[in-house]
Amino acid sequence: MHELPQQLANGLALGALYGLIAIGYTMVYGIVQLINFAHGEIFMIGGFGALSAYAILPTGTSLLIAIPVMIIGGAATSVAVACAAERFAYRPLRSAPRLAPLITAIGLSIALQQLVWQFYPDAKKAVSFPEFKGAAFKLTDSLSIQRADLFVLILAPLCMLALGVFVQKSRSGRAMQATAQDPDTAKLMGINTDRIIVMAFAIGAAFAAVAAVAYGLDKGQINFEMGFILGLKAFTAAVLGGIGNIYGAMVGGVVLGLAEALSIAYIEDIPGMSQLGGGAWSNVWAFVLLIVVLLVRPQGLLGERVADRA
Amino acid sequence: MRHRSLLVLTTVITTGALTLTACGSRDGGDSKDNGGGKKTTVVIGVDAPLTGSLSALGQGIKNSVDLAAKTANKNNEVPGIEFKVEALDDQAVPASGQANATKLVGNKDVLGVVGPLNSGVAQQMQGVFNSANLAQVSPANTNPALSQGDNWGKGEFKRGFKTYFRTAATDVVQGKFAAQYLFRDAGKKKVFIVDDKQTYGAGLAAIFADEFKKLGGEVVGTDHVTVKETDFSSTADKVKSSGADSVYFGGQYPEGGLLADQIKKTGAVVPLMGGDGIQDPAFISASGEANEGDLATSIGYPVEKLDTAKKFIEDYKTEGYKDPYAAYGGYSYDAGWAVIQAVKAVAAANNGKLPTDARAKVVEALGKVSFEGVTGKVAFDEYGDTTNKQLTVYKVEGGKWVDVKSDTFNQ
């Protein structure tokens, strides 16, 4: 047996990261019914934007100042790319059959990866990212939390809370809900649906950039391919929690993260399962979980908020 | 419910589609036609990952072969023959490698191929080249099965493909050398073994484990990681709670660097050792300062320290290639030069002209080449393996790979 609290902490931190990225999938899907497969690359570009912002700062800047600058720089880059993608790649196809924007999204995802690979200096392999110096916080003998994990564990709930308040209380948030329920009626009520859709893309991109900073601070490196698998996992988290439901994205992320961490640590301890445990099988168990949830509860764990349309 | 089933459907389809996108292929050839007048053109094919996370190594391979071809043309090494390089990108994906092999076979001017980087890719290419009688010289494959057959572990050596050669020493040599160093020189007795399930990584880890146990060491745990994953914190915690005093990793630097870093972050003060797949500067940049003392074996002696490599390094600089020659540059140059020497021998035996069955003749001639290359003496044994069994152990010191022990391996 390996220490349970430590594995739970690992899973929670990983899950919070998935959840932050999953918001982008879930909001865009909730409003335009599009699975934006380029979102993983929006996350990746956020990381490179943050790194560029860091590079502009004078050397030796404390991370306390650098992190907010990196988040702003990353978010600005991500949001700009996401809005441009919405405007030029998705909007022209909005009335096309639903498969068309999906294919555009996959194309865009590859294009963004290759653009970074080609033009960002040294991005042909992993680029190092500023890291938290210093030891992990030791809570008990068997439980310590990395500084970067703490960062994402605090920031993810804060971001969620802010988003929840925004969607429930603000005028734009309510317009967003209205658009999600019925875009045509919303338009008749005088809501500028184009603006709302751009807003959904932008919020998702900003969250992805926060996740990218957290990821970089944790791993100490980012690379042009990192959006692919993380994007896929975050998408899984969004479906797991109930795509279209913003709280579901967070719940789905945490469930997925915990499932991965626990499967690595414990499945091989179950008698007869020793061949099916360890890091190599964590993706298998994560996707088995997804399939089971889709079979038993196809609307996802929390269900879709805007279900009255289906 | 129509939307729901559409969602499930798109989930499945797009997951599949995204997996496939990793298999695209792109031509990366940038060889120029120098317009050699009446000269016969001989193309040396190159197959390596020119894009993706291993592209730094792949670009080094491509450029080094290009340099060999340019040098041969400049020196008029084979009178009447102009060498050209056609480089294809396999993205480290076996299926792309196979497609590239088919493409190279289709080009009648190709008389030899240098590559690929990955043993797993080579497995898919060998058959294609063998049936077309086209010689292949890999500068980097280290899996023993490629040359000695699947049962090499049981002592049954059988050469499966007469067209396959390599200038890199195999993992048998490398894995055993690593085990001996870790046990004897570094004094580690309890090792935790992690691999990436790939042909290269898993094979290397298995050879290492056997030798380490034979020497009297203990394997206190094993785990596997998935290529392109980045979160290994759960595996790292397993290492810590196993009480291991060292970790052996069979795999490449993108995963190795992160794993080393995440193990250190748990507070476990153990060095990680790996093969030539992690002996790359990117391994160090992946793991910040925390990887001081990590170890890696690599084939040959450090290129920078060899007198024979001075000219290669200088020429490489002069040509002004954008990417460094990286870990396999010297071996790639030698592989390219071996093909050139074979073509030279074939032409010389046929009054300076290429015979109609030039491909088969080149394969024969390759078995007999022998010259002083960048990495030392280049020659192949009866399995197509290099006769050069020199190895070096590197250690991370002050953010750099520093060589700590070079030796010629004896069983």
Side-chain angles (χ1 to χ4, degrees):
Chain A
M1 283 298 246
H2 313 287
E3 285 84 358
L4 181 64
Q6 185 64 58
Q7 296 294 4
L8 287 177
N10 291 344
L12 212 56
L14 187 61
L17 191 75
Y18 289 160
L20 273 179
I21 311 172
I23 301 281
Y25 283 102
T26 230
M27 283 186 76
V28 168
Y29 181 83
I31 288 172
V32 278
Q33 314 283 291
L34 161 75
I35 294 166
N36 178 15
F37 263 123
H39 189 60
E41 274 60 44
I42 301 286
F43 158 79
M44 178 270 290
I45 282 191
F48 280 93
L51 190 62
S52 309
Y54 181 77
I56 295 167
L57 292 173
T59 43
T61 311
S62 139
L63 274 186
L64 276 178
I65 303 162
I67 286 173
V69 174
M70 284 195 291
I71 291 180
I72 292 167
T77 324
S78 283
V79 169
V81 174
C83 292
E86 195 280 328
R87 178 65 190 83
F88 298 108
Y90 299 138
R91 195 180 295 181
L93 292 171
R94 203 173 288 156
S95 51
R98 210 165 302 161
L99 211 50
L102 199 69
I103 293 166
T104 315
I106 292 170
L108 188 65
S109 141
I110 297 166
L112 290 175
Q113 262 190 41
Q114 293 299 319
L115 277 175
V116 171
W117 179 83
Q118 188 69 40
F119 293 111
Y120 198 90
D122 296 326
K124 290 200 167 70
K125 49 188 176 183
V127 187
S128 48
F129 201 86
E131 237 178 319
F132 278 119
K133 300 272 184 282
F137 288 105
K138 207 161 185 169
L139 297 181
T140 67
D141 269 349
S142 59
L143 175 63
S144 53
I145 296 183
Q146 305 298 334
R147 281 158 194 259
D149 288 350
L150 206 62
F151 173 74
V152 68
L153 284 174
I154 292 171
L155 218 56
L158 281 181
C159 287
M160 283 304 300
L161 208 66
L163 183 61
V165 170
F166 173 78
V167 171
Q168 295 298 327
K169 298 283 192 274
S170 77
R171 219 178 138 77
S172 309
R174 283 200 299 273
M176 206 172 257
Q177 291 185 55
T179 312
Q181 278 191 5
D182 190 334
D184 295 332
T185 314
K187 207 178 244 169
L188 289 176
M189 295 294 121
I191 293 172
N192 183 348
T193 47
D194 278 344
R195 202 176 66 93
I196 296 299
I197 292 168
V198 170
M199 200 185 283
F201 272 91
I203 293 173
F207 277 54
V210 173
V213 173
Y215 175 93
L217 290 171
D218 186 26
K219 309 282 183 263
Q221 66 170 44
I222 53 176
N223 81 65
F224 74 99
E225 287 178 312
M226 70 183 188
F228 177 72
I229 284 195
L230 270 168
L232 209 58
K233 290 279 181 64
F235 168 64
T236 309
V239 175
L240 204 57
I243 193 156
N245 182 329
I246 53 172
Y247 300 105
M250 215 63 216
V251 171
V254 168
V255 169
L256 191 69
L258 287 176
E260 277 189 32
L262 296 181
S263 72
I264 292 176
Y266 296 114
I267 284 197
E268 61 188 5
D269 293 340
I270 302 171
M273 301 276 274
S274 61
Q275 288 304 307
L276 306 178
W281 283 78
S282 65
N283 285 351
V284 176
W285 294 117
F287 286 105
V288 165
L289 179 72
L290 175 68
I291 291 166
V292 169
V293 169
L294 283 178
L295 286 176
V296 178
R297 203 181 147 74
Q299 68 270 45
L301 293 172
L302 293 196
E304 189 184 336
R305 261 305 147 78
V306 288
D308 42 330
R309 200 148 51 115
Chain B
M1 290 302 287
R2 231 161 21 89
H3 290 162
R4 198 88 63 199
S5 49
L6 184 69
L7 172 65
V8 174
L9 185 70
T10 41
T11 310
V12 173
I13 291 174
T14 46
T15 308
L18 275 171
T19 316
L20 280 179
T21 57
C23 309
S25 118
R26 176 151 46 119
D27 288 1
D30 64 356
S31 46
K32 281 180 235 88
D33 191 350
N34 296 327
K38 276 167 274 160
K39 281 186 167 183
T40 315
T41 302
V42 167
V43 176
I44 303 175
V46 173
D47 175 272
L50 303 176
T51 62
S53 53
L54 296 175
S55 59
L57 296 173
Q59 295 284 345
I61 292 174
K62 181 187 101 181
N63 294 340
S64 302
V65 178
D66 186 63
L67 182 64
K70 277 190 180 139
T71 309
N73 290 340
K74 202 163 57 190
N75 300 354
N76 204 16
E77 183 73 22
V78 189
I81 286 176
E82 176 90 13
F83 288 97
K84 270 177 64 176
V85 170
E86 183 182 357
L88 301 178
D89 180 14
D90 65 24
Q91 295 186 320
V93 175
S96 309
Q98 194 172 26
N100 292 348
T102 314
K103 194 171 169 197
L104 290 167
V105 163
N107 181 350
K108 289 280 162 272
D109 292 338
V110 177
L111 291 189
V113 176
V114 177
L117 171 70
N118 308 74
S119 292
V121 178
Q123 262 176 342
Q124 299 294 314
M125 301 176 77
Q126 286 181 313
V128 180
F129 288 135
N130 200 51
S131 47
N133 243 330
L134 181 57
Q136 169 190 20
V137 189
S138 171
N141 296 158
T142 49
N143 189 286
L146 294 171
S147 56
Q148 299 171 3
D150 290 331
N151 293 326
W152 60 270
K154 296 177 197 147
E156 298 166 30
F157 303 121
K158 190 176 158 285
R159 187 175 188 188
F161 303 97
K162 62 181 185 305
T163 50
Y164 182 81
F165 298 86
R166 59 177 140 196
T167 51
T170 69
D171 292 332
V172 179
V173 181
Q174 208 181 152
K176 286 185 177 172
F177 193 68
Q180 289 170 3
Y181 181 86
L182 198 63
F183 189 83
R184 289 188 192 139
D185 300 55
K188 302 291 181 191
K189 311 293 172 202
K190 290 158 91 178
V191 72
F192 192 101
I193 299 180
V194 183
D195 74 56
D196 66 357
K197 296 177 295 174
Q198 307 289 304
T199 310
Y200 162 76
L204 185 60
I207 295 157
F208 172 88
D210 273 358
E211 183 74 6
F212 198 76
K213 280 187 256 181
K214 215 178 276 169
L215 290 167
E218 189 191 346
V219 176
V220 294
T222 55
D223 202 349
H224 312 273
V225 296
T226 307
V227 173
K228 293 205 178 168
E229 280 286 337
T230 50
D231 191 274
F232 307 125
S233 51
S234 293
T235 300
D237 283 319
K238 279 168 76 177
V239 171
K240 191 191 175 193
S241 58
S242 72
D245 62 8
S246 53
V247 177
Y248 190 79
F249 175 71
Q252 306 280 353
Y253 60 79
E255 290 77 32
L258 287 171
L259 179 69
D261 187 39
Q262 291 172 20
I263 289 172
K264 308 276 189 319
K265 277 186 180 162
T266 66
V269 193
V270 296
L272 178 137
M273 188 175 202
D276 55 329
I278 70 164
Q279 201 260 312
D280 187 283
F283 172 87
I284 299 170
S285 63
S287 30
E289 309 162 354
N291 54 2
E292 200 74 8
D294 283 346
L295 299 158
T297 51
S298 194
I299 43 183
Y301 288 172
V303 165
E304 290 74 14
K305 295 208 168 165
L306 286 170
D307 285 341
T308 46
K310 284 210 175 93
K311 189 172 178 306
F312 164 73
I313 294 170
E314 216 167 86
D315 290 350
Y316 197 96
K317 263 190 207 136
T318 318
E319 281 294 333
Y321 294 112
K322 215 170 89 198
D323 300 277
Y325 53 85
Y328 304 103
Y331 295 93
S332 307
Y333 185 93
D334 284 350
W337 200 252
V339 172
I340 291 163
Q341 289 304 312
V343 170
K344 186 180 181 179
V346 169
N350 195 41
N351 303 324
K353 286 222 168 63
L354 287 176
T356 44
D357 58 342
R359 280 185 177 176
K361 287 267 163 54
V362 167
V363 172
E364 265 172 49
L366 258 178
K368 293 175 205 143
V369 295
S370 175
F371 60 92
E372 280 301 318
V374 172
T375 57
K377 188 160 159 115
V378 177
F380 304 102
D381 65 13
E382 69 264 42
Y383 303 107
D385 284 333
T386 175
T387 51
N388 186 341
K389 304 253 192 278
Q390 296 161 332
L391 290 153
T392 301
V393 174
Y394 294 83
K395 189 183 213 164
V396 180
E397 270 173 20
K400 265 202 209 115
W401 285 110
V402 178
D403 54 301
V404 290
K405 185 183 179 183
S406 290
D407 210 348
T408 299
F409 180 79
N410 304 304
Q411 285 296 325

